Amino acid sequence: VGPPATLGSLSGLSSDGSNFSMVDGGPYDPDKAYKDSKLCNILFMLEASRRYGGKFTVNAFSPGLIADPNGFFRNQNKAFATVFNRITKVAGVASTNEFGGSALAYLAVDPAVEGLTGGWYDQAPPGKFQLAKHAPSVEAQNVEEQKLLWDLSSKLVGI
């Protein structure tokens, strides 16, 4: 639903980097901003994995849809968060704080994933409490875009 994640030429970061609404340089759209942030996470992770491969592991992770009004959704309108949380549970797509936390801990310290790097993990199928590795989108696999995002981000934070 809504516009897909796409970063274009990263013009929002490449102008001066300090005064932009969207990474692609377009007007602010909260739905697209969320999706773009996930794409940026994967691009950045893949570049970090390539740059630091072998020194430490680098992976991207999403805990799934955790709409807990007292957890991840605590800053949302309480009525909306409560209703949305119920809907995600009834629809069978909800995750939990416990699953999200245990999946993250597994990726961080379990010997079974030691040395595995460059992976994109989330819950699949949604609501079934199983961690799965996925192939990144076509745009996320663009090595030049990965390098450019890394370089522009480094410049933005002064390193």
Side-chain angles (χ1 to χ4, degrees):
V1 178
T6 182
L7 306 179
S9 64
L10 300 170
S11 62
L13 291 176
S14 60
S15 55
D16 75 357
S18 63
N19 187 21
F20 66 95
S21 294
M22 297 288 291
V23 173
D24 66 2
Y28 183 70
D29 177 323
D31 179 53
K32 187 173 182 315
Y34 176 81
K35 294 171 187 174
D36 287 357
S37 74
K38 299 305 174 198
L39 176 56
C40 285
N41 286 343
I42 295 172
L43 286 162
F44 203 83
M45 174 275 299
L46 288 167
E47 183 63 16
S49 178
R50 187 175 24 270
R51 287 180 184 234
Y52 301 113
K55 295 180 183 173
F56 49 85
T57 58
V58 182
N59 293 295
F61 165 71
S62 173
L65 179 54
I66 302 174
D68 181 348
N70 300 309
F72 286 143
F73 272 48
R74 69 186 169 278
N75 296 317
Q76 300 294 326
N77 173 286
K78 194 69 150 184
F80 165 78
T82 301
V83 170
F84 188 66
N85 188 39
R86 173 60 49 205
I87 290 169
T88 63
K89 288 179 178 180
V90 170
V93 297
S95 189
T96 64
N97 294 321
E98 294 76 18
F99 176 79
S102 64
L104 180 58
Y106 168 78
L107 287 171
V109 299
D110 197 285
V113 292
E114 185 174 336
L116 298 180
T117 193
W120 151 230
Y121 297 86
D122 79 345
Q123 187 179 175
K128 303 306 178 210
F129 306 109
Q130 299 172 18
L131 189 64
K133 182 178 178 183
H134 303 279
S137 69
V138 171
E139 185 172 359
Q141 294 177 48
N142 181 328
V143 173
E144 292 308 311
E145 192 167 11
Q146 295 165 13
K147 290 177 182 178
L148 181 59
L149 177 63
W150 183 280
D151 293 341
L152 292 171
S153 299
S154 297
K155 181 180 174 188
L156 184 64
V157 297
I159 56 171

